[in-house]
């Protein structure tokens, strides 16, 4: 599904990713943990196509194609979805406009028929229910004035609607209360499927208890320093990164 | 030398000679620094004629079909002394304002009676080719009266060079209210010069929504004087400049007494070789204690050659006031664009979304539902890729 080889990226001449190697097969869930500022969000942003970051070396192959050549919208059409660590507020654009436009843009490129207003509303109401979100969120501006947790739910709502093949979830669990964590975790689990993969960035084991990852990686100083199975997350929780790095 | 010389020579108005002698203002006149005067100067303007219509309209410098509604009367006894002084002040010492004065066609004085509630819709008809129409409208709003004043522009007229000039004096008595909405979607050949002078007594209110989409060039000079305690005003404007359009608003708010409040919000969106000038000046005089003002000006540049000339000015001589202001100039927000694109929205559609959002800040506040709809439809038509949003609105808005 996704192969990352020796990926280097920088922002304003400052190297941030310093040779990432990672392979994700269809159906797998990979968790990335690591200290603040180590490059986790940079990695997800580079995969989603944010152009502030300059890739200086390495390659990323997604479903057999060179991902780095694609525009962000082309990546979305190809099935990539980024749940932002800090979802962007867009005053003046109604959430429901964005959702319908996004769903139909992605459907069009997947050769599926356009959803008419009625069909779309039915679908979005179904997803709202899963996310336990009030319908009022549809008519507010995108993320504007949403609380931290509401923004994260809105991200997962979008993921449910767009049905990505590869979901990049950047700290989707941060800022969620216990109940919301469960809703979001289960929202992610519902999407698990042998044809879908998830790359999940988190600082806490709480989410990993709900969404059991197949692999856990530690990203520090722009490199993946250590990989393991679910038990690595437990070790990190106990010992912290210093203990791991010393080992 | 100006394109009005022939008309001025034929005029017997007291200021005609002076106007001709002074000619058009040069860029050295600060308030005219950016105004492209070429068409004004080079067109051989001719006296206007009137067109036929059956609603209240301004055509060729004449008001047609003056409405007869309850609470509204046409005053025949002429200007008051203070109105005359304010009109004189409008005709400041440069050739164009003197020309407006000298070539004035119709001067209409309307009065809204105390406690009356009146809606006036004035349509600006396009003048014929090379015609320049000048008019003056004086409105007195009685105590506790309310006036909704709506100005629209004939949309589907031919786009030959013509000029529409209107000077407006509005005086609002104690507790009176005026809601003024101007939707300017004039044809591409029109030059528009509007001046509004509003005076507010105690607890009087004036709101203005001014939307400038059309015309070749449009200049508005707005002066609002808060001369009674608790008087308040709220001005919101949106100007869209495409092609080589020029839009220019000079807005001044004078807090003459204390406990008065004002707010101005102005948005300019400029594409192609368009140019927008906004000068927003708020004056809080020494005795205007406990006054408050808010100013928010944003300029969105969509092309390399687009230009804006924003100048917010805040002059405060009182010490106990609340004032906030912000002025930005920029292009579309990259983080917002990336967010939309990451959801599969194509670049062109994402740009249209953000332009629409920028304009909506002003448009969504237009209180008149039908006109707001017209503004939105026109707005979406003006955007390079407004179709997707138009479709979404159709499908999802109830
Ligand atoms: N646009 C930018 N300009 C300057 N520095 C940047 C930019 N984006 C990222 N960085 C820097 O790159 C480094 C990695 O940032 P990144 O956001 O990828 O970290 P992270 O691992 O996601 O951290 P956290 O756990 O706090 O979210 C940080 O030192 C950050 O300050
Ligand atoms: Mg991060």
């Amino acid at each position: 599904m996704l192969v990352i080889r020796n990926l280097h990226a920088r922002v304003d001449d400052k190297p941030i990713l310093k040779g990432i190697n990672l392979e994700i097969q269809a159906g797998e869930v990979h968790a990335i943990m690591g200290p603040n500022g180590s490059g986790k969000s940079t990695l997800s942003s580079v995969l989603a196509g944010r152009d502030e970051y300059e890739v200086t070396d390495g390659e990323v192959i997604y479903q057999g194609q060179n991902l780095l050549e694609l525009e962000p919208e082309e990546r979305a059409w190809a099935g990539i979805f980024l749940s932002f660590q800090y979802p962007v507020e867009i005053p003046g654009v109604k959430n429901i406009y964005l959702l319908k436009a996004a769903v139909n843009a992605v459907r069009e490129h997947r050769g599926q028929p356009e959803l008419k207003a009625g069909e779309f509303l039915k679908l979005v109401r179904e997803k709202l229910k899963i996310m336990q979100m009030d319908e009022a969120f549809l008519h507010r501006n995108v993320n504007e004035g949403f609380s931290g947790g509401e923004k994260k739910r809105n991200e997962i709502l979008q993921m449910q609607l767009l049905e990505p093949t590869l979901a990049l979830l950047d700290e989707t669990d941060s800022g969620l209360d216990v109940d919301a964590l469960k809703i979001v975790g289960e929202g992610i689990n519902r999407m698990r499927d042998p044809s879908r993969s998830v790359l999940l960035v988190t600082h806490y084991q709480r989410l990993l208890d709900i969404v059991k990852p197949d692999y856990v990686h530690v990203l520090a100083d722009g490199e993946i320093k250590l990989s393991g199975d679910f038990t690595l997350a437990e070790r990190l929780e106990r010992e912290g990164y210093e203990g791991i790095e010393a080992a | 030398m100006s394109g009005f010389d022939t008309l001025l020579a034929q005029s017997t108005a007291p200021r005609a000679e002076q106007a001709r002698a002074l000619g058009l203002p040069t860029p050295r006149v600060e308030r005219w620094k950016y105004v492209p005067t070429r068409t004004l100067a080079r067109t051989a303007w001719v006296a206007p004629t009137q067109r036929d219509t059956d609603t209240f309209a301004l055509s060729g410098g004449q008001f047609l079909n003056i409405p007869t509604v309850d609470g509204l009367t046409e005053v025949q006894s002429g200007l008051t002394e203070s109105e005359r002084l304010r009109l004189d002040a409008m005709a400041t010492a440069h050739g164009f304002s003197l020309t407006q004065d000298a070539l004035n066609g119709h001067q209409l004085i309307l009065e809204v009676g105390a406690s009356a509630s009146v809606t006036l819709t004035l349509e600006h008809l396009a003048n014929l080719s090379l015609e320049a129409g000048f008019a003056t409208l004086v409105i007195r709003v009685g105590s506790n009266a309310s006036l909704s004043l709506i100005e629209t522009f004939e949309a589907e007229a031919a786009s030959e060079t013509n000029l529409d000039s209107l000077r407006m004096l509005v005086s609002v008595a104690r507790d009176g209210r005026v809601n003024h909405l101007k939707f300017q979607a004039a044809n591409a050949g029109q030059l528009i010069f509007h001046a509004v002078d509003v005076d507010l007594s105690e607890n009087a209110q004036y709101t203005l929504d001014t939307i400038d989409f059309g015309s070749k060039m449009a200049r508005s000079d707005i002066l609002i004087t808060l001369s009674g305690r608790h008087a308040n005003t709220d001005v919101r404007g949106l100007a869209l400049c495409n092609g080589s359009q020029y839009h220019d608003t000079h807005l001044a708010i004078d807090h003459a007494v204390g406990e008065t409040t004002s707010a101005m919000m102005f948005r300019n969106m400029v594409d192609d070789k368009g140019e927008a000038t906004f000068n927003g000046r708020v004056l809080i005089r020494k005795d205007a204690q406990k006054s408050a003002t808010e100013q928010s000006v944003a300029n969105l540049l969509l092309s390399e050659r687009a230009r804006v000339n924003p100048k917010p000015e805040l002059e405060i001589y009182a010490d106990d006031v609340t004032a906030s202001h912000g002025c930005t100039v920029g292009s579309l927000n990259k983080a917002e664009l990336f967010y939309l694109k990451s959801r599969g929205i194509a670049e062109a559609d994402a740009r249209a979304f953000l332009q629409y959002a920028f304009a909506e800040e002003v448009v969504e506040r237009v209180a008149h539902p039908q006109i707001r709809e017209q503004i939105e439809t026109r707005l979406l038509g003006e955007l390079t890729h407004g179709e997707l949003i138009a479709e979404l609105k159709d499908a999802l808005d109830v």
Side-chain angles (χ1 to χ4, degrees):
Chain A
M1 162 91 54
L2 184 76
V3 183
I4 303 174
R5 279 194 208 105
N6 190 33
L7 183 65
H8 286 70
R10 64 179 181 196
V11 60
D12 306 333
D13 291 338
K14 180 186 166 192
I16 298 172
L17 301 183
K18 302 169 182 170
I20 302 274
N21 290 291
L22 183 66
E23 220 169 292
I24 301 180
Q25 306 298 333
E28 290 177 354
V29 174
H30 289 238
I32 293 200
M33 305 182 81
N36 293 131
S38 57
K40 304 179 299 295
S41 294
T42 303
L43 175 62
S44 10
S45 297
V46 166
L47 294 176
R50 184 170 199 142
D51 65 5
E52 264 168 61
Y53 302 97
E54 188 196 346
V55 174
T56 50
D57 202 2
E59 61 175 358
V60 180
I61 307 297
Y62 169 71
Q63 294 184 326
Q65 55 186 330
N66 178 355
L67 186 70
L68 300 178
E69 270 180 0
L70 303 181
E71 289 296 314
E73 61 271 37
E74 294 173 316
R75 299 183 197 201
W77 301 336
I80 288 184
F81 177 85
L82 169 63
S83 167
F84 286 57
Q85 179 175 3
Y86 303 109
V88 180
E89 297 194 5
I90 313 189
V93 177
K94 277 194 203 169
N95 212 14
I96 193 167
Y97 286 11
L98 166 61
L99 295 175
K100 184 164 185 287
V103 166
N104 279 329
V106 163
R107 286 179 69 89
E108 186 189 333
H109 287 89
R110 291 179 192 159
Q112 296 164 315
E114 183 185 338
L115 289 186
K116 298 276 172 258
E119 301 163 313
F120 168 75
L121 284 170
K122 185 163 169 272
L123 178 71
V124 82
R125 286 190 180 121
E126 216 172 87
K127 305 298 185 195
L128 280 169
K129 210 163 151 197
I130 295 172
M131 296 314 295
Q132 299 190 20
M133 287 170 74
D134 194 280
E135 208 170 312
F137 284 107
L138 295 179
H139 304 284
R140 287 171 61 177
N141 290 332
V142 177
N143 294 322
E144 191 183 28
F146 287 26
S147 75
E150 288 164 354
K151 284 180 182 164
K152 297 302 173 81
R153 283 196 211 195
N154 199 36
E155 295 290 284
I156 298 304
L157 176 76
Q158 296 181 43
M159 179 180 82
Q160 305 248 350
L161 286 166
L162 296 179
E163 302 186 325
T165 313
L166 173 64
L168 311 165
L169 310 179
D170 191 357
E171 294 200 28
T172 302
D173 53 342
S174 305
L176 293 179
D177 65 43
V178 213
D179 296 336
L181 185 75
K182 235 176 123 197
I183 295 164
V184 164
E186 277 159 12
I188 298 169
N189 278 337
R190 289 177 74 97
M191 300 287 297
R192 284 184 85 157
D193 176 300
S195 64
R196 267 199 197 111
S197 311
V198 178
L199 179 68
L200 185 155
V201 173
T202 183
H203 286 294
Y204 309 104
Q205 204 192 323
R206 301 178 312 174
L207 180 65
L208 302 183
D209 288 335
I210 308 172
V211 185
K212 284 264 181 315
D214 300 297
Y215 298 93
V216 175
H217 310 276
V218 177
L219 200 162
D221 192 24
E223 286 177 88
I224 291 185
K225 302 277 190 198
L226 194 63
S227 299
D229 63 7
F230 178 72
T231 58
L232 179 56
E234 291 171 346
R235 244 182 85 199
L236 287 170
E237 192 95 347
R238 277 200 315 274
E239 300 171 23
Y241 296 115
E242 279 178 28
I244 297 287
E245 278 169 52
Chain B
M1 244 293 285
S2 94
F4 301 103
D5 284 357
T6 314
L7 288 175
L8 289 169
Q10 291 161 359
S11 164
T12 54
R15 291 195 171 97
E17 203 33 57
Q18 201 191 345
R20 199 150 72 106
L22 274 171
L24 292 173
T26 66
R28 264 168 305 182
V29 176
E30 179 64 26
R31 296 170 64 84
W32 277 64
K33 195 166 164 188
Y34 304 104
V35 182
T37 50
R38 185 206 277 232
T39 312
L40 269 189
R42 296 198 183 165
T43 306
W45 298 103
V46 301
T49 53
Q50 284 74 46
R51 309 217 344 251
D52 236 9
T53 182
D54 45 18
T55 56
F56 184 39
L58 177 61
S59 173
Q62 295 292 318
F63 294 98
L64 310 176
N65 311 306
I66 294 150
T68 47
V69 294
D70 276 356
L72 185 73
T73 36
E74 183 182 352
V75 177
Q76 306 291 353
S77 54
L79 297 171
T80 64
E81 183 55 25
S82 79
E83 283 166 345
R84 196 184 341 272
L85 287 172
R86 284 159 66 199
L87 270 186
D88 278 352
M90 269 189 189
T92 49
H94 70 65
F96 187 70
S97 54
L98 288 167
T99 301
Q100 287 176 299
D101 200 67
L103 297 182
N104 192 61
H106 195 171
Q107 175 175 289
L108 173 66
I109 307 176
L110 295 174
E111 197 166 281
V112 179
S115 301
S117 171
V118 168
T119 297
L120 266 184
T121 303
L122 173 67
E123 187 181 19
H124 292 254
L125 298 185
N127 295 319
L128 300 181
S129 185
L130 306 185
E131 291 188 357
F134 297 86
T136 304
L137 176 61
V138 178
I139 305 179
R140 303 175 190 155
V141 178
S143 61
N144 201 34
S146 92
L147 169 67
S148 170
L149 174 63
I150 299 163
E151 289 179 83
T152 61
F153 287 71
E154 193 182 20
E156 74 279 12
S159 57
E160 284 143 2
T161 301
N162 72 103
L163 186 147
D164 174 63
S165 161
L166 175 62
R167 302 184 300 171
M168 207 186 277
L169 272 192
V170 182
S171 310
V172 190
R174 189 184 169 136
D175 300 323
R177 277 195 316 280
V178 174
N179 298 115
H180 185 179
L181 166 58
K182 182 168 117 184
F183 176 29
Q184 189 272 103
N187 71 63
Q190 193 156 49
L191 277 60
I192 298 175
F193 291 88
H194 284 184
V196 187
D197 174 326
V198 181
D199 186 81
L200 298 176
S201 305
E202 187 168 338
N203 203 37
Q205 183 188 52
Y206 174 76
T207 69
L208 172 65
D209 290 281
T210 173
I211 312 286
D212 276 287
F213 286 177
S215 78
K216 178 183 175 70
M217 69 158 294
R219 164 67 179 253
S220 301
D221 286 276
I222 304 160
L223 168 65
I224 301 162
T225 308
L226 305 163
S227 45
R229 278 161 30 109
H230 301 295
N232 65 89
T233 187
D234 193 349
V235 178
R236 295 178 287 251
L238 169 67
L240 229 69
C241 303
N242 295 330
S244 53
Q245 277 179 310
Y246 177 79
H247 288 148
D248 182 333
T249 298
H250 273 64
L251 167 62
I253 297 176
D254 182 350
H255 290 254
V257 304
E259 296 174 68
T260 47
T261 54
S262 68
M264 66 168 79
M265 170 159 113
F266 218 93
R267 299 287 178 265
N268 288 309
M269 184 154 95
V270 189
D271 205 346
D272 305 328
K273 289 183 284 177
E275 181 171 352
T277 299
F278 178 75
N279 184 297
R281 175 166 179 260
V282 177
L283 168 66
I284 301 186
R285 292 180 192 264
K286 192 154 171 286
D287 296 327
Q289 299 293 359
K290 299 199 163 32
S291 289
T293 184
E294 266 174 53
Q295 220 176 349
S296 152
V297 182
N299 297 278
L300 181 58
L301 292 169
L302 296 169
S303 77
E304 293 275 309
R305 300 177 69 180
R307 292 214 311 199
V308 291
N309 318 296
K311 190 171 177 193
E313 293 178 88
L314 206 48
E315 264 179 74
I316 302 180
Y317 298 102
D319 44 34
D320 183 14
V321 300
T322 330
S324 69
H325 68 132
C327 177
T328 61
V329 176
S331 44
L332 293 172
N333 181 300
K334 279 195 170 160
E336 294 176 3
L337 269 180
F338 175 63
Y339 189 80
L340 293 172
K341 287 165 65 174
S342 79
R343 269 48 181 149
I345 314 279
E347 163 95 20
D349 292 327
R351 295 179 66 87
F353 259 122
L354 297 182
Q355 291 170 42
Y356 175 74
F358 179 85
E360 271 299 288
E361 261 198 279
V362 173
V363 178
E364 73 184 4
R365 289 180 163 87
V366 171
H368 193 294
Q370 283 91 21
I371 307 249
R372 189 179 57 238
E373 244 344 277
Q374 288 172 24
I375 296 170
E376 295 211 347
T377 305
R378 174 75 191 243
L379 169 66
L380 290 171
E382 296 282 335
L383 300 180
T384 320
H385 283 82
E387 308 83 13
L388 174 63
I389 304 164
E391 267 174 46
L392 290 165
K393 271 173 61 72
D394 274 354
L396 299 171
D397 288 3
V398 277

